[in-house]
Amino acid sequence: MQGWVVVVASFSYLGVLFAIAYYGDKRADQGRSIIANPYIYSLSLAVYCTSWTFYGSVGRAASSGIGFLPIYLGPTLMAALWWILLLKIIRISKANRITSIADFIASRYGKSQSLGGLVTVIAVVGIIPYISLQLKAVSNSFVILLQYPQIVMPATIGEVPILHDSAFYIAMLLAAFTILFGTRHLDATERHEGMVAAIAFESLVKLVAFVSVGAFVTFGMYHGFADIFDRAAGAPKLDALLTLGGAAGTYGTWFSLTFVSMLSIMMLPRQFQISVVENVNENHITKATWLFPLYLLAINVFVLPIAFGGLMHFPDGSVDADTFVLTLPMAERQPALALLVFVGGLSAATGMVIVETIALSTMVCNDLVMPLLLRSKSLQLTRQPDLSGLLLGIRRWAIALILLLGYFYFRIAGEAYALVSIGLISFAAVAQFGPAIIGGMFWKDGNRSGAFAGLSAGFFLWAYTLLLPSFARSGWLPMSFIEQGLFGIALLKPLQLFGLSGLDQISHCLFWSMLANIGCYVWGSLTSRTTVTETSQASAFVDVFKRSVEGGSRLWRGSASVDELFALLSRFLGPTKAARAFDDYARTRGARFFRDLPADANLVHFAETLLAGAIGSASARVMVSSTVKEEPLGIDEVMNILDEASQVIAYSHKLEQKSRELEAATAELRAANERLKEVDRMKDDFISTVTHELRTPLTSIRAFSEILLEDPEGEAAQRQKFLGIIVKEAERLTRLINQVLDLAKLESGRAEWHAAELSLREVIEDSVAATSGLFEDKRVRVETRMPPDVPLITADRDRLMQVIINLMSNAVKFCRAGDGLVKIRLVTGPEELRVEVQDNGPGIAREHHETIFDKFRQVGDTMTDKPQGTGLGLPICRQIIGHFGGRMWVNSEPGKGATFSFTLPRRPADSASAA
Amino acid sequence: MNRSSIKGQRLGALFIIGLLMFNYPLLFLFNSALELLGIPLLYAYIFGAWATLIGVMALVIEKGR
């Protein structure tokens, strides 16, 4: 095979890739994206399959049968969890403008620059072996293909000087290609639509190439699957490969590989970049969940046949199993197929290198270099007008450097291991991100110190148990390091740490590094303090599904100006892009231009998020806080800002209100209680008075009755007298009881009223007639003076007569017998009629004018004067008159008689005549 | 994620089933070179189970609404 054929084929393939990427970017700029498609998304995820898959799987299968497969089963299982995990990561990343794994971890743990830097270092160191394996695969396949039709294995790596080493040139070429590919301009979202399109294409190419050679071997060279396996079963050394080794160690290895690949499918920088950062639409996850595992299945179906075919075809072990995919078609004189295979392998390698180095260079720029540069006072970076050129330059140098390092690792350590073993070193490295990321997504108490401790411990143990031994195996570190341990201490043997033997290297490394990682993460988080930013970020990440889109209080205090923020953004994004972003934001807030916006916490947050897309969230935080005059918040102050505090305040307001209401109710209750007690007292008085009044006549009746009983032969006259007294007292008692009942009925409103229209004149005349007997008995004169025309009123006739008769009988009672005179006058007023009953008795002292209307109150000294009435008459009269809507009162002076008056309204009160 | 928590739970169950299918106890049962249609039992089991798992995952995630 002519060298130039291979070179031309390679360059044309790379050219096609470049063209696709260019087209994809152009369409993205126009807004007509070609990658907004779940099939493209799923295919692009297949960047997981690199030269490792293409060449290395066969090599692994040749030595351990199906032991190559767990690397693909792990991602299949993980895909089932994407619905929960990947969706959450994507949602968090979109919300926080996260553009890389280092950014994710740094942002989650309080926008910590140091953590971002650590993650970047781990990622770069960890991925370098992986890159070197791609270089090894491409350069080896290139060299082998050049020898067609002879099959000659490449020379040992160290023997070829660098400048004659094709791998070196391939590394440089890949660096140049990647720089051209991915660093043409700076995008605030770190999206590279063209790259995604190209990756999807190359996934197809490698699948087609592999399936072609697989089909060729299986059906061309042999007669199908059954044929190959039959023959393998026949060959002595091969049938051992048909099953897994019986020792538990093999199952342990199997599980470790599954576990580590489950983590890698998410934590590899290129996987994070493609599945999270480049994700266009969350719904694409649905198809990817099963399409991606299907791709893995398809590309692995022919691995075993090729491996067995190669083992049977090259039985003496002269051909490296990692090259079977290429050497088999070469051995069968299929140059076109061999060239296709080479291009397929190139495709797999370039895909990985492009995405991985772009992702790594982003991390190096944003999370490692920029923070250091920003800190350095001498550079005065915060005053530079335009930093986008600087950013791009940093990234380009990072890409070149990473590829160079990959080449050097290849020279140093590439010889000792098969491809898969090299790759597993990287898998174990990125697995260290697992606890920090998964813990960060679900455990709010995971904090920066814990993450830092965990990552450091895990990384250290990984380096000690996996990375350094790989140098020792290649001779760059003394073998005594492996055999006797560090400083000769047996417990520190890197492959049997603390005496743990019986595990293969990967399981051993995973066990110790995960133990240290998770242990330090949990212990560190639980025993150290958490800052304000960490807590709010933890909440933002873990609760990302519960949060509303915008709003809520921002944990920020300071003063800013819109112009300063805009100037800051335009330094990194360029003035046009910054202006567009700001104006879009302004429109969502209801202002037309961003200069009209208030420089509040929301604007600062927006600016910071936008900037984070360009330089990472940790650096963005630094830049923004240096621009605005920020005041650090203490925990106490934050509690005032947070909602919880306002809830507490609202609650205490409610409590205050409740207690006030309670006081008012208590006061009312107390007043009611007082009134009740008063009424109770009055009731007690009433009862005691009534019983007293009732007892008095009863006593007389009993006394006189007893006398009569004891002395039946007494004097008739005296007996008459006594009987008379008894009768009178009984009458008095009856009267009293009647009046009490009457008054009770009147006061409780249960009396019956029969209202009718009547003439007051008539009523008075009738009353006079009714009491004429009384007057004649006592020889008291009655005079009436009434106008002839008296308007009719509506009242209860009987009750009215009761009142007038009562007044008159009172008057008679207090007149002197003989010259007593009772005058009755009726006066017609405009609003009311007034009746006056005047007598010329002894009169009533002024202080008694009101009290005589009290119950049981009689004028006169109760001790000396015999009670003449019940004391209830006047109260009853007043009740009755009051019921009709009138008033009753008395005018009197001692010695000059008394005048009892009452009024009756001419129009009866509405409330009175209820009957 | 209440709109699809059933879906998530089903997928979680598939995850656990897969974990069990492709690891020690169950795997050991099939670890023999007996031939099934000319293909060693172990290979047939792994690839068959794999394909079935993918199929069920596709069903669960596409159909469940």
Side-chain angles (χ1 to χ4, degrees):
Chain A
M1 172 106 33
Q2 304 279 13
W4 63 266
V5 173
V6 181
V7 171
V8 163
S10 310
F11 273 97
S12 10
Y13 171 73
L14 292 181
V16 169
L17 269 190
F18 201 90
I20 293 178
Y22 187 77
Y23 178 63
D25 275 332
K26 220 163 73 142
R27 285 284 292 263
D29 285 337
Q30 291 168 359
R32 290 156 51 215
S33 164
I34 55 174
I35 69 164
N37 174 327
Y39 298 99
I40 302 275
Y41 179 67
S42 314
L43 269 181
S44 68
L45 288 173
V47 74
Y48 179 70
C49 301
T50 67
S51 317
W52 171 342
T53 308
F54 203 82
Y55 292 113
S57 290
V58 172
R60 183 84 165 192
S63 61
S64 63
I66 201 148
F68 77 94
L69 198 56
I71 304 293
Y72 308 97
L73 294 176
T76 306
L77 294 177
M78 200 55 156
L81 294 183
W82 272 351
W83 187 249
I84 306 167
L85 278 181
L86 187 58
L87 185 65
K88 191 161 187 176
I89 292 184
I90 291 181
R91 191 69 70 86
I92 293 171
S93 305
K94 296 279 184 263
N96 293 279
R97 295 267 187 152
I98 285 169
T99 55
S100 70
I101 268 206
D103 212 17
F104 190 92
I105 295 181
S107 177
R108 162 61 178 84
Y109 295 104
K111 304 190 186 174
S112 150
Q113 280 186 334
S114 54
L115 204 53
L118 177 64
V119 171
T120 306
V121 167
I122 295 178
V124 170
V125 173
I127 297 295
I128 284 176
Y130 210 158
I131 291 186
S132 77
L133 107 80
Q134 312 301 322
L135 292 176
K136 175 173 179 174
V138 173
S139 75
N140 279 0
S141 57
F142 179 70
V143 166
I144 290 174
L145 193 57
L146 279 185
Q147 310 295 327
Y148 181 83
Q150 288 176 307
I151 296 179
V152 178
M153 288 295 107
T156 321
I157 289 178
E159 289 173 359
V160 182
I162 293 184
L163 289 181
H164 290 163
D165 193 351
S166 54
F168 177 71
Y169 292 105
I170 291 175
M172 289 299 105
L173 186 66
L174 281 176
F177 185 66
T178 309
I179 289 174
L180 271 177
F181 210 93
T183 57
R184 273 170 294 138
H185 56 257
L186 209 58
D187 184 10
T189 60
E190 294 297 345
R191 299 258 315 278
H192 310 83
E193 297 223 352
M195 180 184 78
V196 174
I199 295 300
F201 174 70
E202 69 91 2
S203 295
L204 272 178
V205 169
K206 67 193 174 206
L207 180 67
V208 165
F210 196 84
V211 169
S212 307
V213 69
F216 170 74
V217 170
T218 311
F219 302 109
M221 285 172 62
Y222 298 89
H223 305 293
F225 289 101
D227 186 29
I228 291 195
F229 292 128
D230 267 337
R231 298 207 202 186
K237 281 190 302 182
L238 293 189
D239 69 345
L241 294 177
L242 292 179
T243 56
L244 282 172
T250 321
Y251 289 111
T253 312
W254 180 278
F255 178 74
S256 305
L257 293 181
T258 312
F259 175 73
V260 82
S261 60
M262 269 170 52
L263 285 178
S264 302
I265 189 66
M266 315 234 28
M267 313 290 162
L268 280 168
R270 69 175 186 277
Q271 294 301 129
F272 191 91
Q273 179 77 23
I274 292 276
S275 60
V276 176
V277 180
E278 304 285 350
N279 173 275
V280 171
N281 185 340
E282 282 174 4
N283 293 325
H284 292 171
I285 296 179
T286 314
K287 279 265 184 325
T289 303
W290 59 273
L291 264 181
F292 177 62
L294 192 61
Y295 182 98
L296 294 178
L297 180 69
I299 208 169
N300 280 301
V301 169
F302 287 110
V303 170
L304 284 164
I306 296 179
F308 287 135
L311 283 173
M312 292 190 282
H313 209 85
F314 306 109
D316 53 1
S318 57
V319 176
D320 187 358
D322 276 342
T323 66
F324 282 170
V325 187
L326 185 61
T327 51
L328 274 178
M330 281 173 66
E332 294 291 309
R333 302 281 187 270
Q334 300 285 340
L337 185 58
L339 192 58
L340 178 64
V341 167
F342 173 77
V343 170
L346 180 68
S347 168
T350 48
M352 181 275 182
V353 167
I354 289 171
V355 186
E356 202 81 71
T357 47
I358 287 179
L360 283 176
S361 69
T362 309
M363 286 202 271
V364 167
C365 171
N366 289 352
D367 293 273
L368 200 57
V369 177
M370 280 302 289
L372 290 175
L373 290 183
L374 286 173
R375 262 181 234 256
S376 140
K377 297 278 193 312
S378 57
L379 285 178
Q380 294 281 316
L381 270 189
T382 48
R383 304 216 196 273
Q384 292 288 341
D386 185 9
L387 288 170
S388 51
L390 178 64
L391 290 175
L392 280 177
I394 295 176
R395 287 173 195 209
R396 288 172 184 154
W397 278 106
I399 290 175
L401 189 66
I402 290 171
L403 273 160
L404 207 57
L405 284 175
Y407 173 68
F408 280 123
Y409 185 86
F410 163 66
R411 277 194 81 91
I412 292 173
E415 187 60 50
Y417 287 124
L419 290 177
V420 171
S421 309
I422 301 179
L424 286 174
I425 298 180
S426 295
F427 268 28
V430 297
Q432 307 306 321
F433 298 144
I437 290 185
I438 297 183
M441 284 207 297
F442 294 104
W443 188 36
K444 277 198 210 174
D445 288 317
N447 70 11
R448 199 191 73 90
S449 314
F452 207 92
L455 278 172
S456 315
F459 179 59
F460 172 73
L461 278 171
W462 166 81
Y464 190 76
T465 56
L466 213 50
L467 188 66
L468 292 182
S470 73
F471 294 133
R473 285 258 164 81
S474 312
W476 285 80
L477 281 178
M479 275 307 276
S480 61
F481 172 61
I482 292 186
E483 281 152 17
Q484 279 119 41
L486 190 64
F487 307 130
I489 304 177
L491 279 181
L492 292 183
K493 273 199 263 190
L495 298 181
Q496 284 166 356
L497 202 55
F498 302 124
L500 182 66
S501 61
L503 288 179
D504 67 287
Q505 198 170 1
I506 292 288
S507 310
H508 176 263
C509 164
L510 272 180
F511 172 74
W512 287 115
S513 58
M514 280 292 131
L515 183 69
N517 194 332
I518 298 178
C520 289
Y521 175 61
V522 172
W523 183 73
S525 297
L526 292 177
T527 59
S528 64
R529 303 173 60 107
T530 314
T531 66
V532 171
T533 329
E534 280 175 59
T535 316
S536 85
Q537 286 298 100
S539 179
F541 274 54
V542 176
D543 290 335
V544 72
F545 289 124
K546 293 188 211 150
R547 292 206 140 196
S548 56
V549 176
E550 188 67 43
S553 42
R554 301 242 172 255
L555 294 174
W556 184 87
R557 187 180 64 197
S559 54
S561 92
V562 183
D563 286 327
E564 281 176 347
L565 285 172
F566 176 69
L568 175 69
L569 263 306
S570 46
R571 288 219 307 265
F572 288 98
L573 298 182
T576 29
K577 272 200 182 166
R580 212 184 322 152
F582 265 69
D583 276 334
D584 285 340
Y585 173 77
R587 242 170 275 128
T588 65
R589 298 242 128 193
R592 273 189 63 217
F593 297 111
F594 68 83
R595 290 192 204 268
D596 302 331
L597 286 172
D600 60 0
N602 285 324
L603 179 65
V604 172
H605 177 82
F606 166 74
E608 192 180 313
T609 318
L610 195 60
L611 194 57
I615 64 173
S617 50
S619 307
R621 172 115 275 274
V622 169
M623 293 300 299
V624 166
S625 46
S626 74
T627 305
V628 308
K629 291 179 259 305
E630 205 170 77
E631 293 160 29
L633 286 170
I635 288 277
D636 304 310
E637 295 153 309
V638 170
M639 287 310 290
N640 280 334
I641 297 175
L642 282 180
D643 288 344
E644 283 172 46
S646 50
Q647 275 178 31
V648 168
I649 293 175
Y651 190 68
S652 79
H653 277 321
K654 267 196 262 179
L655 276 178
E656 264 178 77
Q657 199 186 349
K658 282 256 165 68
S659 76
R660 251 181 279 130
E661 286 174 14
L662 211 60
E663 274 181 40
T666 313
E668 276 183 41
L669 279 174
R670 208 171 313 201
N673 198 31
E674 289 302 320
R675 283 200 298 273
L676 275 175
K677 281 201 265 186
E678 179 73 42
V679 169
D680 206 35
R681 248 197 319 266
M682 281 168 50
K683 183 198 70 176
D684 288 344
D685 285 352
F686 184 74
I687 286 179
S688 61
T689 318
V690 166
T691 46
H692 173 75
E693 296 291 326
L694 287 177
R695 217 177 304 175
T696 317
L698 273 175
T699 316
S700 305
I701 292 172
R702 241 191 74 210
F704 285 114
S705 304
E706 277 179 9
I707 294 174
L708 283 174
L709 195 62
E710 278 171 27
D711 193 9
E713 307 300 326
E715 210 180 334
Q718 197 174 36
R719 279 175 55 200
Q720 267 319 89
K721 186 168 154 211
F722 284 171
L723 282 170
I725 293 174
I726 290 172
V727 167
K728 226 172 68 190
E729 289 300 291
E731 283 174 355
R732 182 154 157 249
L733 189 57
T734 314
R735 233 183 6 254
L736 183 64
I737 293 175
N738 284 341
Q739 277 187 327
V740 168
L741 284 174
D742 205 8
L743 188 60
K745 266 206 280 190
L746 282 173
E747 279 189 343
S748 70
R750 279 185 272 126
E752 288 179 359
W753 302 91
H754 302 111
E757 272 194 344
L758 41 81
S759 158
L760 195 50
R761 204 189 136 100
E762 272 182 27
V763 172
I764 293 177
E765 284 170 354
D766 285 358
S767 309
V768 168
T771 52
S772 55
L774 265 177
F775 283 91
E776 277 170 20
D777 281 355
K778 218 169 170 192
R779 284 174 289 123
V780 175
R781 275 182 303 129
V782 177
E783 275 181 22
T784 61
R785 199 179 301 167
M786 294 185 283
D789 292 279
V790 174
L792 296 178
I793 59 167
T794 311
D796 186 315
R797 187 196 168 83
D798 292 328
R799 289 288 184 189
L800 211 47
M801 279 186 68
Q802 183 181 355
V803 170
I804 299 173
I805 288 173
N806 192 303
L807 289 179
M808 289 175 68
S809 53
N810 277 353
V812 163
K813 228 185 286 180
F814 287 97
C815 281
R816 279 194 303 275
D819 61 350
L821 175 63
V822 174
K823 292 196 211 154
I824 303 177
R825 264 180 65 201
L826 174 61
V827 177
T828 316
E831 298 268 272
E832 56 199 12
L833 301 175
R834 192 168 75 243
V835 173
E836 293 173 0
V837 176
Q838 187 182 12
D839 69 80
N840 58 354
I844 307 169
R846 197 163 284 265
E847 61 252 29
H848 294 309
H849 282 188
E850 271 304 305
T851 59
I852 55 172
F853 290 102
D854 286 353
K855 289 193 263 264
F856 300 116
R857 202 60 77 107
Q858 301 195 48
V859 178
D861 196 348
T862 47
M863 289 304 220
T864 54
D865 293 351
K866 227 171 73 176
Q868 298 202 30
T870 58
L872 288 177
L874 283 174
I876 291 179
C877 290
R878 210 180 216 185
Q879 274 284 352
I880 294 174
I881 296 295
H883 188 265
F884 291 138
R887 293 168 294 130
M888 184 178 266
W889 68 95
V890 64
N891 283 326
S892 169
E893 272 172 56
K896 299 221 180 108
T899 310
F900 281 85
S901 321
F902 69 87
T903 62
L904 286 171
R906 283 175 69 163
R907 226 161 272 135
D910 284 342
S911 56
S913 40
Chain B
M1 282 216 310
N2 31 14
R3 64 173 175 116
S4 50
S5 77
I6 284 291
K7 214 194 269 197
Q9 287 174 36
R10 285 187 187 150
L11 288 167
L14 282 177
F15 170 75
I16 294 179
I17 290 176
L19 211 53
L20 291 174
M21 275 203 304
F22 293 125
N23 273 293
Y24 172 62
L26 282 178
L27 207 55
F28 182 67
L29 290 178
F30 292 93
N31 187 21
S32 81
L34 297 178
E35 303 229 330
L36 184 73
L37 302 175
I39 300 175
L41 185 61
L42 184 63
Y43 297 168
Y45 166 69
I46 289 185
F47 278 92
W50 194 5
T52 315
L53 185 66
I54 295 177
V56 176
M57 273 163 63
L59 262 176
V60 165
I61 207 165
E62 296 282 1
K63 284 299 182 327
R65 260 279 146 219

